[in-house]
Amino acid sequence: MNKEKEFEEAVTKVLELLGEDPQREGLLKTPARVAKALKFLTEGYQQDPEEILNQALFSTSNDEMVLVRDIEFYSMCEHHMLPIIGRAHVAYIPDGKVVGLSKIPRIVNVYARRLQIQEQMTEQIADAILSTIKPKGVAVVVHARHMCMEMRGVQKINSTTVSSALRGLFKSDERTRNEFYNLINTPTPSNF
């Protein structure tokens, strides 16, 4: 039996355990749809962050902070498989190399598209950039809403979780760290 068919049968069983009739019109294609959706939502397992970053590395004399902020992402918590919705801010200080700007959001997606906890995802993003680009420092801050807290459990819909990972100069140099925090907390102009 192929994996897709096996997955569809598992979803059918879950529907039955919930008391649903998998043969009713609205649910006939649900097992296939769920299988396809979860394959997409966890595609990060099939991607190599180092390979993505190495596709667009360029020599540079720039030694000032590079920041990509407000990177939207969607993930799923590994404890309940419910959505995590958030945004990430990722900065690094080049040490002879810069990476194509689009690669930073791609790295966020690699780790977001796995069953995940926010704290681990934040660390993984920072460590992937640090080990591949080898900058003088990396900073990652992630703000997210967790549906496992909003839809169930404590049901607190206005709570946001913030996690950070600081490496190199962002950890050791207060001025660098403060510059980063000031930049991510400055409102984007409304005409931008």
Side-chain angles (χ1 to χ4, degrees):
M1 180 183 310
N2 68 33
K3 280 189 175 185
E4 286 180 24
K5 193 69 174 159
E6 190 175 348
F7 199 108
E8 290 175 26
E9 287 179 5
V11 173
T12 300
K13 183 65 175 172
V14 168
L15 290 171
E16 289 169 350
L17 290 170
L18 290 172
E20 271 291 355
D21 174 9
Q23 297 306 310
R24 74 174 171 86
E25 183 182 357
L27 294 177
L28 283 174
K29 295 183 180 178
T30 296
R33 289 182 184 121
V34 170
K36 184 177 179 181
L38 286 175
K39 184 176 180 182
F40 173 76
L41 293 171
T42 59
E43 69 186 2
Y45 291 118
Q46 314 309 317
Q47 298 171 324
D48 179 356
E50 186 176 324
E51 183 180 308
I52 290 168
L53 289 168
N54 279 322
Q55 288 175 355
L57 272 180
F58 307 102
S59 296
T60 187
S61 59
N62 178 36
D63 62 357
E64 297 292 328
M65 186 184 311
V66 176
L67 168 64
V68 181
R69 64 179 231 182
D70 298 316
I71 303 166
E72 295 174 351
F73 71 87
Y74 302 91
S75 189
M76 290 194 323
C77 79
E78 64 186 33
H79 301 131
H80 305 97
M81 292 180 65
L82 289 172
I84 301 170
I85 303 165
R87 58 190 165 88
H89 311 289
V90 180
Y92 69 98
I93 299 175
D95 190 11
K97 297 277 184 196
V98 291
V99 66
L101 292 176
S102 70
K103 303 308 178 200
I104 301 295
R106 288 180 194 276
I107 292 306
V108 171
N109 278 343
V110 165
Y111 291 110
R113 297 292 187 186
R114 298 175 180 192
L115 297 181
Q116 197 57 280
I117 63 171
Q118 179 178 332
E119 302 89 336
Q120 177 176 295
M121 183 183 88
T122 307
E123 298 274 332
Q124 290 171 327
I125 294 164
D127 291 339
I129 292 168
L130 186 67
S131 67
T132 306
I133 303 173
K134 301 189 182 354
K136 295 176 184 175
V138 179
V140 179
V141 170
V142 175
H143 298 256
R145 294 175 50 208
H146 294 250
M147 295 306 109
C148 59
M149 285 181 55
E150 293 188 26
M151 296 172 66
R152 55 158 303 281
V154 296
Q155 299 179 37
K156 299 302 177 198
I157 62 169
N158 293 314
S159 64
T160 303
T161 302
V162 180
S163 55
S164 66
L166 304 175
R167 305 288 187 264
L169 287 178
F170 289 97
K171 191 163 192 133
S172 64
D173 184 66
E174 186 177 357
R175 281 187 358 199
T176 301
R177 185 171 52 253
N178 288 340
E179 179 185 358
F180 169 69
Y181 285 125
N182 286 335
L183 287 170
I184 68 171
N185 290 314
T186 301
T188 302
S190 59
N191 63 345
F192 191 67

